[in-house]
Amino acid sequence: MKQHILTVLSVLLVLLSLYYVAASNLNLGSILVWLITGICILYTVFWRKVDAALAKTLWGHILLGFLLLICVVVCVTLAVIVSRQVDNTATGEENTLVVLGCAVHGEKPSLVLEYRLRAALEFYEKNPMVTIVVCGGKGHDEKISEALAMQRWLVQHGVPENQIIMEDKSTSTEENFRFAAKLLQQNGIDPAAPVAYVTNGFHCYRAGKYAEREGFVQSHAMPAGLPVMQMPACYLREICAVLFYWVFRMPAAA
């Protein structure tokens, strides 16, 4: 039975890995999926020897304890990420909307980014006077900046170009907000006023933390959906990013 379960799991992970090769830009999430796939395949082939070594050796017991610790840390982090998707959500009355960047395939928004853009369009249709800031520079495997791809998409879907501010230099969530704040100030808009930001649900917790750091003290999340096939890579990547934030970026307690 165990052999059958491992074989099925390995096949599913291989298919998922192939999907990321074909449909996703190279990122930490896809790399982690590929790594887990490789480990799963090896364990599927050698699980009897691995189980025997884990059960009978000191190093095996240490490794099991380490793996258990990793599982606990991952579960706690994931619980925080998931639970914060429904906290501090946008009221719909904010006059400024910041759309956070994500991968572009050539000149076309990725499916994950398109979910963010559809959420931004929905917000605009309910609040047509909103100023929209689209954020994101040009990655090494992108033909244009993420901001330009988003601006084009929104204009094609009926948003007036003069209501869109492009921030096309940032390379991270932190820089999305930092550079967006500067552009808003240049346009006479106070970042400390109520602002909504659009990102996918898995990203809302960390995005909110960086928003506060960069002066968006009244920022509210507008969670966008996420394609099912992208969930494993996105959540794996976000778990690592949140852990990095907690260890290296979280402000010290006063």
Side-chain angles (χ1 to χ4, degrees), residues 68-81 236 239 243:
L68 178 61
L69 177 61
I70 290 177
C71 288
V72 171
V73 171
V74 167
C75 288
V76 170
T77 308
L78 184 60
V80 171
I81 292 170
L236 284 171
I239 286 169
L243 290 173

Side-chain angles (χ1 to χ4, degrees), residues 158-224:
V159 180
E161 188 173 344
N162 62 4
Q163 288 182 229
I164 303 173
I165 299 173
M166 283 202 302
E167 182 289 291
D168 59 1
K169 305 299 181 185
S170 59
T171 60
S172 66
T173 302
E174 186 174 12
E175 288 184 350
N176 281 177
F177 285 111
R178 180 179 303 158
F179 299 162
K182 293 179 181 179
L183 287 175
L184 287 172
Q185 289 172 341
Q186 292 171 10
N187 284 271
I189 301 172
D190 185 0
V195 172
Y197 62 87
V198 178
T199 189
N200 307 94
F202 71 89
H203 190 219
C204 286
Y205 167 72
R206 186 165 56 94
K209 294 298 183 182
Y210 280 125
E212 293 175 7
R213 287 171 62 96
E214 300 303 329
F216 292 89
V217 293
Q218 296 189 72
S219 61
H220 308 287
M222 185 168 183

Side-chain angles (χ1 to χ4, degrees), residues 68-175:
L68 178 61
L69 177 61
I70 290 177
C71 288
V72 171
V73 171
V74 167
C75 288
V76 170
T77 308
L78 184 60
V80 171
I81 292 170
V82 172
S83 65
R84 295 301 176 87
Q85 293 183 22
V86 295
D87 288 350
N88 193 35
T89 53
T91 65
E93 298 179 357
E94 294 85 357
N95 292 323
T96 306
L97 184 67
V98 178
V99 188
L100 303 185
C102 191
V104 169
H105 296 159
E107 297 185 7
K108 181 181 178 181
S110 63
L111 189 55
V112 174
L113 181 54
E114 188 171 330
Y115 272 66
R116 298 184 186 185
L117 290 169
R118 292 193 181 281
L121 181 62
E122 180 183 343
F123 190 99
Y124 162 77
E125 289 172 346
K126 295 178 180 178
N127 187 357
M129 300 305 295
V130 67
T131 297
I132 302 176
V133 184
V134 290
C135 301
K138 178 181 174 296
H140 69 278
D141 52 356
E142 298 170 340
K143 293 184 179 180
I144 61 175
S145 70
E146 295 166 6
L148 179 56
M150 287 190 278
Q151 186 244 32
R152 288 177 177 176
W153 190 97
L154 289 170
V155 170
Q156 289 171 359
H157 287 79
V159 180
E161 188 173 344
N162 62 4
Q163 288 182 229
I164 303 173
I165 299 173
M166 283 202 302
E167 182 289 291
D168 59 1
K169 305 299 181 185
S170 59
T171 60
S172 66
T173 302
E174 186 174 12
E175 288 184 350

Side-chain angles (χ1 to χ4, degrees), residues 2 43 46-57 60-61:
K2 184 173 183 177
Y43 185 59
F46 300 109
W47 69 269
R48 290 182 178 85
K49 293 181 180 180
V50 172
D51 284 3
L54 292 175
K56 297 178 181 180
T57 66
H61 293 158

